[in-house]
Amino acid sequence: MYPGTWAETTPEKLAIVMTGSGRSLTYRQLDDNSRRTAHFLRDTVGLATGDSVVVVSDNVPEALELYWAGVRIGLYVTFANSHLTAAEADYIIENSGARVLFVSANLADLASRLQVGGVEHRLVFGGTSPGFESYEAVRDAASDEPIEDQPRGDTMLYSSGTTGRPKGIKRPLTGQQVTEMSNMSAVLQLLYGMTEETVYLSPAPAYHAAPMAFMAAVQSLGGTVVMMEKFDPEGVLEAVQRFGVTETQMVPTHFVRMLKLPEDVRTGYDLSSLKMVIHAAAPCPPDVKRAMIDWLGPIIMEYYSSTEAAGSTFIDSATWLEHPGSVGRPTTEGSLHICGPDGAELGPGEVGTVYFASATESRPFSYHGDEAKSLSAEHPEHPNWTTVGDLGYVDEDGFLYLTDRSSFMIISGGVNIYPQEIENVFTLHPAVADIGVIGVPDAEMGERVVAFVEPAPGVEPSDALAGELESFARQHLSGFKVPREFHFRETLPRTPTGKMVKGKLRDEYASTVG
């Protein structure tokens, strides 16, 4: 199913509405606009199944319109992070092989600095930008005829780039027609119970994998997407009350900011319509998740997956309370494997690399234009077992617990230290707004633990505060895990999905501290 299905049955129903501007698209408008754009891409530009386009957008309705325009004619649609530098965006545009670039007029400054070599058509929506054609003019001049052959395309998104250059994650096209039920729509329907009655709040950037995938799947099912221009903790509560939101998806940093709202604000909104709060993208500290369940009830659902979509786990609130800290069991039986450095499978409680086995006999994704990176994701003996570099273990009941990413692990005096465990201890500390823990070279121990801290509003950085945090850490952690240094910063580098960009912390330490 796709918006065209609902344009026929419920044409005036809202497919998407913005919480701030109030801008919206009905299913009829979404289908009409995406169909005309698809005609332009296929008939005028000459794009064929498997070709690519790039969209650089903020959170606006056109993001979904352009998604459907490409996906309904078999294209790969790449959404580039709107916070990238011009050089970073140029790399993605060139690497993707896109012949068409769409840019939001709200990002005109970025658009003016793009080189975009090889791009044949540059279009701007929502306004004007020098060197760009009007998207709306091109769209409205295109054919409005039905499209008979509509092979389902996909997104080709680029990894967050927390370490190294972003990688384009490319999955084989399914061969389905867009009118058929997609795998993602089936997941939302079967696992989360979403239907055409769903009112789904999306507070995260549309250019990320999960927000776009969930919004598109909700529209495939005929529900309404409520999109925030940007996340605001009280704004989430207001949106739930105003639009009667039934489901939403967040990341742990959203939870932390909401929990730090004043009590009278948290209790001042009617949240009775809310049936489910889904979270993923980054590990959630157990204290934070328990506090969310205490507040909203047992409606907190968690899944673990990745942009590569090689596998996933799921856990509901009741099960999590029995297995606190777990991200659940695999959604496909027998797909989860924990392996040591030599590829051998490990037993319960042993930390290793997390692999998922696909139903196919080969790797279910590739990193576009980088075969070496693609091969590095494979298990040494099972090509259809793949990893994104996360570390974890399973318990006796088969529940997965993540410890950290392999690239973040600290080895001090021959002992493995997982920064995530240290960061979790400080998440709800009243003096800490954010924290990132890294390992830095140490002549005696190999590496030592260093913490970067963003103090809470009104808290001044000081040696006394560093001493207080060290003392707090010693109450909750083994001595060898306690940070040896605390460095204070106004803000820490996180992606909008909550992942700490630790490469930047390492670079900063090496250049200014080390």
Side-chain angles (χ1 to χ4, degrees):
M1 294 183 288
Y2 76 119
T5 305
W6 306 101
E8 294 180 1
T9 59
T10 54
E12 300 310 312
K13 181 177 182 178
L14 287 181
I16 181 171
V17 59
M18 304 300 302
T19 61
S21 69
R23 293 185 61 215
S24 63
L25 288 172
T26 65
Y27 271 101
R28 176 182 55 78
Q29 291 170 323
L30 179 58
D31 183 50
D32 288 350
N33 292 350
S34 65
R35 182 175 62 254
R36 287 181 180 275
T37 305
H39 270 296
F40 163 74
L41 294 172
R42 180 182 278 183
D43 304 342
T44 304
V45 183
L47 298 185
T49 301
D51 286 341
S52 299
V53 298
V54 170
V55 180
V56 184
S57 180
D58 48 351
N59 280 16
V60 289
E62 288 86 353
L64 271 299
E65 185 175 306
L66 291 168
Y67 168 88
W68 285 113
V71 166
R72 70 189 293 169
I73 56 170
L75 303 185
Y76 284 102
V77 184
T78 292
F79 287 88
N81 187 328
S82 58
H83 298 288
L84 295 176
T85 65
E88 291 168 331
D90 276 329
Y91 163 77
I92 289 175
I93 295 165
E94 181 179 0
N95 183 262
S96 71
R99 293 164 54 194
V100 182
L101 170 66
F102 300 94
V103 178
S104 169
N106 295 330
L107 306 171
D109 180 60
L110 173 60
S112 69
R113 291 181 281 112
L114 295 174
Q115 300 298 312
V116 293
V119 171
E120 300 170 16
H121 295 269
R122 310 174 188 183
L123 299 103
V124 63
F125 53 87
T128 61
S129 184
F132 284 76
E133 300 174 79
S134 165
Y135 161 67
E136 289 84 357
V138 167
R139 176 197 68 198
D140 294 346
S143 171
D144 191 33
E145 292 298 312
I147 302 174
E148 292 185 7
D149 181 35
Q150 299 190 96
R152 180 178 292 279
D154 199 357
T155 53
M156 182 175 75
L157 303 183
Y158 281 69
S159 62
S160 302
T162 52
T163 57
R165 267 191 157 177
K167 303 177 287 289
I169 298 161
K170 196 169 189 177
R171 297 181 291 266
L173 298 181
T174 64
Q176 287 181 309
Q177 287 285 301
V178 76
T179 52
E180 299 178 69
M181 175 79 80
S182 70
N183 290 338
M184 190 65 188
S185 298
V187 168
L188 263 62
Q189 188 176 66
L190 298 174
L191 193 60
Y192 300 115
M194 296 191 194
T195 68
E196 65 271 20
E197 301 300 321
T198 290
V199 180
Y200 175 79
L201 176 66
S202 185
Y207 55 73
H208 277 288
M212 180 54 68
F214 270 70
M215 288 190 293
V218 166
Q219 290 180 336
S220 292
L221 296 172
T224 295
V225 170
V226 178
M227 185 192 289
M228 299 182 73
E229 280 83 355
K230 62 179 181 179
F231 173 79
D232 172 74
E234 185 173 357
V236 168
L237 306 182
E238 193 274 335
V240 171
Q241 176 176 282
R242 176 156 55 113
F243 294 99
V245 168
T246 56
E247 287 92 5
T248 186
Q249 181 176 200
M250 300 186 195
V251 298
T253 51
H254 293 162
F255 286 174
V256 172
R257 290 182 61 187
M258 291 174 69
L259 288 167
K260 290 187 176 182
L261 287 170
E263 182 68 20
D264 62 326
V265 173
R266 288 206 286 131
T267 59
Y269 291 89
D270 179 4
L271 308 181
S272 59
S273 64
L274 199 56
K275 299 177 181 178
M276 187 179 300
V277 177
I278 305 161
H279 73 97
C284 187
D287 287 350
V288 171
K289 185 160 181 175
R290 188 173 284 105
M292 288 297 293
I293 294 172
D294 289 344
W295 174 18
L296 298 178
I299 63 170
I300 312 295
M301 309 295 173
E302 180 175 7
Y303 70 91
Y304 162 64
S305 187
S306 63
T307 306
E308 289 83 346
S312 62
T313 65
F314 172 81
I315 192 167
D316 60 23
S317 291
T319 308
W320 186 89
L321 289 170
E322 297 173 355
H323 301 267
S326 173
V327 295
R329 288 193 282 202
T331 52
T332 303
E333 188 174 353
S335 64
L336 177 62
H337 304 274
I338 307 297
C339 301
D342 60 355
E345 285 203 68
L346 303 176
E350 296 183 280
V351 174
T353 301
V354 179
Y355 286 89
F356 284 101
S358 74
T360 63
E361 295 182 0
S362 59
R363 185 180 64 244
F365 65 88
S366 63
Y367 294 116
H368 182 62
D370 197 327
E371 184 60 18
K373 287 181 180 177
S374 299
L375 290 172
S376 70
E378 293 182 5
H379 185 276
E381 296 179 8
H382 305 280
N384 67 326
W385 294 12
T386 54
T387 183
V388 295
D390 288 335
L391 298 175
Y393 65 92
V394 294
D395 62 17
E396 295 285 353
D397 297 319
F399 285 86
L400 174 63
Y401 296 75
L402 299 176
T403 53
D404 223 313
R405 293 188 66 83
S406 58
S407 58
F408 297 162
M409 187 174 70
I410 302 167
I411 303 177
S412 182
V415 178
N416 294 345
I417 300 173
Y418 303 104
Q420 180 187 316
E421 179 187 4
I422 303 168
E423 292 161 356
N424 287 351
V425 165
F426 288 97
T427 304
L428 294 180
H429 191 288
V432 175
D434 201 3
I435 185 168
V437 174
I438 63 171
V440 302
D442 184 272
E444 179 182 359
M445 305 299 289
E447 287 185 295
R448 65 181 179 276
V449 181
V450 171
F452 284 80
V453 175
E454 176 186 332
V459 176
E460 292 296 323
S462 65
D463 291 342
L465 177 58
E468 176 189 334
L469 296 179
E470 179 181 351
S471 176
F472 181 79
R474 292 191 180 281
Q475 297 174 35
H476 296 86
L477 295 166
S478 301
F480 65 91
K481 299 177 184 177
V482 174
R484 297 299 185 261
E485 303 171 31
F486 288 88
H487 300 279
F488 299 103
R489 298 292 182 269
E490 288 187 9
T491 58
L492 297 184
R494 282 192 183 271
T495 70
T497 53
K499 296 176 182 177
M500 185 70 70
V501 187
K502 294 193 175 181
K504 290 185 178 180
L505 294 181
R506 291 190 183 116
D507 291 345
E508 179 183 338
Y509 188 91
S511 63
T512 64
V513 181

